[in-house]
Amino acid sequence: MKRRTVLAAPLALPLAGPLAAAFTGTAAAAATPTGAAGAAGKVRKLLAELTLDEKISLLHQWQPAIPRLGMKAFRTGTEALHGLAWLGPATVFPQAVGLAATWNPALIREVGEAVGDEVRGLQHERPAGWGLNVWAPVVNLLRDPRWGRNEEGYSEDPYLTGVISTAYARGLTGGDPDNLKTAPLVKHYLANNNEVRRDQTSSDLRPRVLKEYEEPAYRAAISADAACGVMTAYNLVNGRPCTVTDLNASVRTWTDRTLLNVTDAWAPNNLPATGSQKYFDTLAEADAAILRAGVDSFTTDDTDGGPTAAAVREALAQGLLTEADVDTAVRHILDIRARLGDFADDGGPYGHLDKSVIDSPAHRRLARRTAAEAIVLLKNDGALPLDAEALRRVAVVGPLADTLYTDWYSGSLPYAITPLKGIADHLGAGAEVATSEGVDRIALKNAATGRYVSAGSGAEGAALAESATEAGETEQFDVFGWGEGIVTLRALANGKVVGLRDGRFYNDQDQPNGWFVSQLFRPEEQDDGTVVLRYAGYENWLGDAVYLRARDEDGGLVLGTAAEASRYVVETLRDGIGEAVAAARAAEVAIVVVGSMPFINARETDDREDMGLADTQSALVRAVLAANPRTVVVVENSYPTTLTWEQEHVPALVWTTHAGQETGRALADVLFGDVNPAGRLTQTWYRSAADLPPILEYDNIKYERTYQYFTGDVLYPFGHGLSYTAFRYGRPRLLRGAVAVAVTNTGRRTGAEVVQLYTRQRDSRVKQPLKKLQAFAKVSLRPGETRTVTLPLAREALAHWDVTRERRVVERSTYDVLVGASSGDIRARAELAVDGETVPPRDLARTTRAENFDDYAGVRLVDESKPRGTAVGAESAGAWLLFADADLRRGARRLTARVAKESPGTGTLQLRLDAPDGPVAGEAAVPSTGSRYAYGEVTAALRGAAGRRDVYLVPGEGVRVADFSLR
């Protein structure tokens, strides 16, 4: 047995742990002679020479060339979430949630470097839509697994999100902030974790949730100088659109470097009276507020910068902006461009990169390694790994067995190694690999006319029509079920998916796709046993005409109302489950590949409601398992799934995200043991959606979201993932600023363990997390090998936000130091006594912000004014705010509060003691102020308000409270 020490060193960040491993490499390019000083000089020179109109033109996403100054056209916004996207074939890495599942920041930095190279690879061709400002990584926290964009984020945990996002962004930049390979932005700032009405909903963030949970995820890569700015989100936070949230007071304070901040697409147009948010009267007011809030670039109106330029000029004319405001934003833009080498004749240190780097052999190998390391072994009763030498008959079945799906932000696959191909290639010619997608093949016969729906047979397909009297090859369709009643139809004639185009239905798409996904149907059974097909595409302007009907003149399929819908007899020509069962029964091992379709089950604009497998897929799994007890289920999707039945009954469960071109080889590597699985979940997998509060409740503390606060029984805990070997943990040793623990591989295979360090504060003035991830290290151990893993634990990491004094505090307490394989598998623990502060009783004689409450009911956090500040508004009768443990001394005599009331009439503001319905110590009348932003001062005499008491403010319906004092 050998023993070594592994040290996971901290960075100069509010983060610690394995980050250092990702950032110790040499930058890909040394600083050029121009350096930071040269870039600054170039920016000053250009800013002095640009005319006002030229400067205004640079504020739009599509910045025009300015030939007289030697400035090329420039664009913000190349998509690079998990590879270069939208610009042709390029290396496709696992979805972002899969990248994080590696828990390997060094590997993710390599992925970022590869993606950055491929973005640079197009610089000599500069195709439309290309640019060196990349919109990645996404750091929105995955606090609710129903979020449609779950695939884009990393984790429900802010620390892990910060580690992975910093690694990826560092790779994208090349590692030298003065000489950028690309300029990544983190998005979407702030608290954007729902798609339902995303441009109109407001995320309520009380100070503790903001400071302890949300901000750290964004701050990490910015403070490390790994990211170059943020993209603002569509939603509102505390009643204020994120597009005009003050970035100067937050994001820009996290670094001394210049940042380039941008809006999300079309978001500026949501702000005026003509938009969905109606926050300002005019676009000129809105655009002025955007610039003053610290946003530099307007992403709107596609390639047309005219409306933005006109609005900014109008704002200048009205005195809403000064030229200095424009100069500030342009200076930020020019600084990033200079650091990218955009003004250098040779393109700077990375100017030599060309298209040959795209989908290079090295990147293919990296894609395979990353996809394999992202795979999580959820359950294993000894079924895995499979013995490739012994197996002769294997069945690989399921709707995802022989296909790879991409998502909205994916690049185009340069090639596709499906699970079937990867497994078959791994087994070689000596094994028999049977397959079936496990889906039914049907024909649709009009019950009234007897004619069948026919598809086109050519590569481009054709418009569907009812024309045939018999079900030949062109009349057959494979039906894929995706849950919630949604199916897609794939024509046997050419293997293409059926969708709506120009009012007709065509079989012409390789897979469901597009912003308005038009390949979706919902069969509805009628009383007479026939079926009508409801069109379920993403368009929302079709009204009642959403059923398929055949035109009288030619049988062509178009849209009609329910009354006009054609009724079909569904003839099943192939029993999909039966075929898969037959293959499984004849095999030594059955591998069932099920999961999601990223354009259907959940995506941008569409949250999930059902967290389980599609009914048809669940039925397939059960049938195959009944036919062959040696069944392995592979779940390929983008989010946690309620696999409660499968966890109880299936011998082995494997999860992978949609992992790109090398999915099949990576999966085979893991299934056959060439790679020992080492992926870990980055989210809690719940047993039921019923365990979750409504998706719009953003207060994790009160509503007990994520592993930090959830008290129920989970399916799989945060950090979970199994291995083909086993690990033993020794007793943790508390060092100065660190925790050391010996970890031993007690099994027979080399494997990697993710050693996770959590803390729990036993005593506190406030509700504390049940566990909080503080550090982790991924270590590979040979059989019998022991390593001492040292995990940083800084005193500051134990701090929380003290709302009574509006600062971070480390309390005097005993802290449990927990080391283990997941948040639910703690292997060793120690106690740490910390001689910190004791938070004193509240001093309400000082002016106290209403938002700094300890608990609440019936209120919303709202915008105190349009530029800044948060107030608290009562939504209904019975609203209250708790300010716990206040020292009122010998007695407070007067309540003074700043309040607003937009609605007519007089409201009230009560002060009660000890409980929301406790003794009334005073009551102030709140007259209408005529505007939600017009605050006035109200007072009330107090009685009995003495000693240490819990103080409750009880505002009447419609009353907004900004701050108050008791004197």
Side-chain angles (χ1 to χ4, degrees):
M1 180 186 299
K2 295 185 178 180
R3 184 182 296 269
R4 290 194 287 168
T5 297
V6 176
L7 175 63
L11 283 181
L13 283 174
L15 305 172
L19 275 168
F23 307 139
T24 53
T26 304
T32 61
T34 56
K42 181 65 173 178
V43 169
R44 285 193 299 271
K45 184 174 185 297
L46 286 173
L47 196 60
E49 294 178 346
L50 287 163
T51 68
L52 177 57
D53 281 344
E54 289 170 338
K55 286 185 284 191
I56 291 172
S57 74
L58 299 179
L59 299 178
H60 190 262
Q61 178 190 14
W62 294 81
Q63 300 172 28
I66 303 176
R68 71 180 189 85
L69 297 178
M71 294 176 62
K72 303 174 185 176
F74 185 86
R75 176 182 182 263
T76 64
T78 294
E79 298 292 354
L81 182 62
H82 54 109
L84 173 64
W86 300 5
L87 294 170
T91 308
V92 178
F93 293 94
Q95 292 174 308
V97 70
L99 295 178
T102 67
W103 289 62
N104 188 341
L107 174 63
I108 300 313
R109 174 169 177 170
E110 286 187 57
V111 173
E113 289 172 344
V115 176
D117 284 350
E118 297 202 5
V119 173
R120 273 279 180 176
L122 296 176
Q123 64 189 330
H124 302 293
E125 298 180 10
R126 299 172 66 90
W130 171 87
L132 292 175
N133 169 231
V134 294
W135 288 351
V138 170
V139 300
N140 296 98
L141 292 164
L142 306 182
R143 49 147 214 140
D144 194 308
R146 295 168 296 190
W147 185 37
R149 304 180 75 170
N150 195 85
E151 66 199 30
E152 298 182 38
Y154 292 128
S155 173
E156 68 183 34
D157 181 74
Y159 172 76
L160 178 58
T161 294
V163 170
I164 299 299
S165 61
T166 301
Y168 189 63
R170 182 79 76 186
L172 287 168
T173 65
D176 179 2
D178 292 325
N179 295 277
L180 299 170
K181 183 187 296 183
T182 69
L185 303 184
V186 293
K187 60 180 189 177
H188 312 80
Y189 188 82
L190 175 73
N192 175 202
N193 189 229
N194 64 274
E195 295 303 291
V196 56
R197 303 189 309 280
R198 61 179 179 167
D199 59 330
Q200 299 172 56
T201 58
S202 181
S203 306
D204 283 14
L205 298 183
R206 58 163 156 158
R208 280 195 66 198
V209 177
L210 174 66
K211 297 295 184 181
E212 296 175 25
Y213 188 69
E214 285 287 343
E215 274 192 354
Y218 298 87
R219 186 170 187 158
I222 297 290
S223 62
D225 294 331
C228 300
V230 302
M231 171 190 279
T232 55
Y234 286 120
N235 58 289
L236 299 85
V237 167
N238 298 347
R240 181 178 298 106
C242 289
T243 312
V244 290
T245 293
D246 190 359
L247 302 180
N248 297 314
S250 55
V251 174
R252 290 196 189 277
T253 69
W254 299 340
T255 179
D256 293 330
R257 294 244 175 216
T258 296
L259 300 177
L260 165 61
N261 299 323
V262 309
T263 74
D264 208 337
W266 294 87
N269 290 1
N270 293 336
L271 291 168
T274 54
S276 59
Q277 293 172 337
K278 306 184 190 309
Y279 202 68
F280 299 97
D281 290 335
T282 67
L283 187 59
E285 292 175 82
D287 284 5
I290 290 170
L291 285 176
R292 291 198 307 270
V295 176
D296 308 303
S297 179
F298 293 78
T299 311
T300 189
D301 301 305
D302 292 329
T303 61
D304 183 6
T308 295
V312 171
R313 291 191 194 98
E314 180 63 23
L316 289 166
Q318 294 180 22
L320 302 173
L321 286 174
T322 67
E323 187 169 353
D325 295 321
V326 175
D327 286 353
T328 296
V330 172
R331 184 181 300 110
H332 297 156
I333 294 166
L334 295 177
D335 181 272
I336 295 296
R337 290 181 62 171
R339 287 156 60 193
L340 284 166
D342 193 51
F343 304 133
D345 292 338
D346 61 357
Y350 299 101
H352 65 284
L353 292 174
D354 59 27
K355 200 171 181 179
S356 65
V357 301
I358 297 176
D359 188 35
S360 67
H363 292 179
R364 291 183 175 193
R365 291 191 295 271
L366 181 61
R368 179 176 181 174
R369 179 158 61 99
T370 306
E373 196 161 337
I375 291 173
V376 180
L377 181 60
L378 298 174
K379 177 188 177 180
N380 187 22
D381 285 349
L384 294 175
L386 301 173
D387 186 347
E389 296 297 324
L391 287 175
R392 289 295 174 264
R393 297 187 312 280
V394 175
V396 182
V397 301
L400 278 76
D402 197 26
T403 190
L404 295 183
Y405 288 124
T406 55
D407 58 61
W408 178 248
Y409 289 104
S410 173
S412 301
L413 296 172
Y415 58 90
I417 307 299
T418 68
L420 174 63
K421 179 170 176 51
I423 291 167
D425 288 351
H426 196 98
L427 288 170
E432 177 185 339
V433 180
T435 189
S436 166
E437 290 175 304
V439 301
D440 288 348
R441 181 165 293 164
I442 66 168
L444 296 168
K445 183 171 69 173
N446 189 308
T449 67
R451 293 190 177 276
Y452 289 86
V453 174
S454 300
S457 58
E460 301 302 317
L464 270 61
E466 295 178 3
S467 57
T469 57
E470 294 183 357
E473 185 173 289
T474 56
E475 287 70 49
Q476 299 183 39
F477 300 89
D478 294 330
V479 185
F480 291 79
W482 300 109
E484 299 184 52
I486 297 296
V487 304
T488 53
L489 301 174
R490 188 184 64 197
L492 178 63
N494 64 354
K496 297 295 182 72
V497 178
V498 175
L500 180 67
R501 175 164 57 85
D502 301 326
R504 297 289 302 274
F505 289 90
Y506 295 81
N507 59 312
D508 62 353
Q509 296 299 308
D510 290 329
Q511 68 174 51
N513 61 81
W515 183 255
F516 297 107
V517 185
S518 63
Q519 294 84 23
L520 312 183
F521 303 92
R522 182 178 284 114
E524 296 179 357
E525 189 169 348
Q526 305 301 295
D527 292 340
D528 61 1
T530 62
V531 166
V532 297
L533 290 178
R534 184 185 183 96
Y535 173 65
Y538 276 42
E539 296 92 330
N540 58 6
W541 57 81
L542 297 173
D544 295 331
V546 291
Y547 287 88
L548 272 67
R549 69 176 180 88
R551 295 191 304 205
D552 293 336
E553 59 270 28
D554 60 1
L557 293 190
V558 295
L559 290 173
T561 64
E564 297 170 324
S566 295
R567 296 192 174 207
Y568 294 104
V569 175
V570 179
E571 297 181 357
T572 301
L573 307 176
R574 182 188 68 187
D575 175 1
I577 290 180
E579 183 181 79
V581 164
R585 187 175 288 119
E588 297 165 272
V589 171
I591 300 168
V592 188
V593 189
V594 293
S596 69
M597 200 287 142
F599 280 84
I600 297 175
N601 293 99
R603 56 156 288 178
E604 187 171 358
T605 74
D606 187 33
D607 295 317
R608 281 194 300 163
E609 295 180 9
D610 185 349
M611 292 172 58
L613 287 177
D615 291 343
T616 53
Q617 296 184 18
S618 180
L620 173 66
V621 169
R622 295 177 189 228
V624 170
L625 179 61
N628 188 335
R630 292 191 66 191
T631 291
V632 175
V633 173
V634 177
V635 180
E636 185 180 338
N637 66 17
S638 314
Y639 35 70
T641 306
T642 50
L643 302 172
T644 49
W645 187 93
E646 290 78 9
Q647 168 62 25
E648 183 177 352
H649 295 92
V650 175
L653 285 170
V654 172
W655 176 80
T656 175
T657 189
H658 295 281
Q661 62 211 51
E662 288 286 346
T663 297
R665 273 194 276 257
L667 182 61
D669 289 341
V670 169
L671 293 178
F672 293 102
D674 291 12
V675 171
N676 196 337
R680 301 293 184 266
L681 299 179
T682 66
Q683 295 175 265
T684 302
W685 284 41
Y686 299 93
R687 291 186 174 275
S688 169
D691 292 331
L692 295 167
I695 195 171
L696 295 177
E697 297 291 0
Y698 274 76
D699 189 342
N700 289 356
I701 301 172
K702 186 175 182 70
Y703 293 97
E704 299 184 339
R705 283 185 188 274
T706 79
Y707 80 95
Q708 292 189 356
Y709 292 98
F710 184 69
T711 59
D713 181 30
V714 304
L715 181 62
Y716 305 117
F718 170 82
H720 171 74
L722 304 178
S723 171
Y724 295 150
T725 190
F727 301 94
R728 183 180 67 241
Y729 285 65
R731 184 184 299 275
R733 291 184 294 114
L734 302 181
L735 309 175
R736 184 177 181 84
V739 176
V741 63
V743 181
T744 302
N745 182 345
T746 60
R748 298 180 179 180
R749 290 175 175 267
T750 296
E753 173 73 320
V754 178
V755 183
Q756 302 167 39
L757 173 65
Y758 299 86
T759 60
R760 182 177 71 87
Q761 184 176 341
R762 292 186 185 177
D763 303 299
S764 177
R765 180 190 173 278
V766 296
K767 183 178 182 179
Q768 289 287 350
L770 302 170
K771 296 184 184 74
K772 181 181 178 184
L773 181 68
Q774 299 287 10
F776 63 89
K778 193 167 194 175
V779 292
S780 180
L781 300 173
R782 297 185 300 276
E785 183 181 7
T786 296
R787 293 195 198 182
T788 297
V789 180
T790 302
L791 300 162
L793 182 60
R795 178 187 176 93
E796 174 61 17
L798 303 175
H800 72 271
W801 187 257
D802 175 22
V803 294
T804 72
R805 294 171 295 173
E806 297 186 286
R807 64 176 176 84
R808 293 178 65 82
V809 59
V810 177
E811 288 184 292
R812 180 187 183 93
S813 180
T814 297
Y815 293 78
D816 291 321
V817 177
L818 311 169
V819 182
S822 78
S823 63
D825 185 9
I826 300 302
R827 305 288 185 86
R829 62 187 67 219
E831 294 183 359
L832 175 64
V834 176
D835 187 18
E837 298 182 59
T838 297
V839 177
R842 280 186 180 268
D843 180 5
L844 297 182
R846 298 181 303 180
T847 299
T848 297
R849 298 288 303 174
E851 65 179 311
N852 286 324
F853 49 72
D854 290 295
D855 199 2
Y856 60 96
V859 300
R860 294 297 307 269
L861 293 170
V862 296
D863 50 339
E864 181 181 353
S865 69
K866 289 186 176 182
R868 62 188 58 84
T870 296
V872 181
E875 283 199 307
S876 59
W880 52 264
L881 301 171
L882 166 62
F883 299 87
D885 190 27
D887 187 356
L888 304 180
R889 302 180 178 88
R890 295 183 178 180
R893 298 183 178 182
R894 182 170 297 276
L895 161 68
T896 304
R898 279 198 313 121
V899 297
K901 185 174 184 292
E902 186 172 39
S903 58
T906 300
T908 59
L909 177 64
Q910 292 182 339
L911 188 141
R912 291 179 177 263
L913 302 174
D914 306 327
D917 57 353
V920 178
E923 181 176 304
V926 180
S928 173
T929 60
S931 168
R932 68 187 64 185
Y933 303 120
Y935 285 82
E937 187 174 276
V938 298
T939 62
L942 300 178
R943 57 189 180 278
R948 288 182 65 167
R949 311 287 287 273
D950 286 345
V951 171
Y952 288 81
L953 282 186
V954 182
E957 184 175 358
V959 172
R960 290 185 168 203
V961 186
D963 54 53
F964 73 100
S965 63
L966 308 181
R967 295 187 176 96

